[in-house]
Amino acid sequence: HMLGFLFAEATSLDVEEVPAGDALLQELLDGDEWAVDIVSRDGRHKVVALWRYDKGPANGAPFVYFCDELMPVAGPRERAICAYVASAL
């Protein structure tokens, strides 16, 4: 299994920072992947960019990033994504 492999092998080129036997795991969530760039000052937050990642299988890998697409904050979905990220700050 992948977990056994991660614990048996070095997971970083910098073995002083991440020695063999250490690993960081992240839950896989299906769906679009977004990034929100926010600038903050004095407790106020302003969204400056919203990105959607386009990815899919390629060259035998389960996913490859094809491009990052700059998106307008125009619809309810996009506004909800930005509001969620701002609320986490």
Side-chain angles (χ1 to χ4, degrees), residues 24-44:
L24 173 66
L25 302 179
Q26 181 176 341
E27 181 180 1
L28 172 65
L29 300 175
D30 280 333
D32 289 340
E33 184 175 345
W34 297 81
V36 181
D37 295 338
I38 294 182
V39 180
S40 300
R41 181 175 180 193
D42 297 328
R44 297 183 63 208

Side-chain angles (χ1 to χ4, degrees), residues 26 28-29 31 33 53-66:
Q26 181 176 341
L28 172 65
L29 300 175
E33 184 175 345
Y53 296 133
D54 183 16
K55 60 187 177 183
N59 301 323
F63 73 89
V64 172
Y65 287 95
F66 299 129

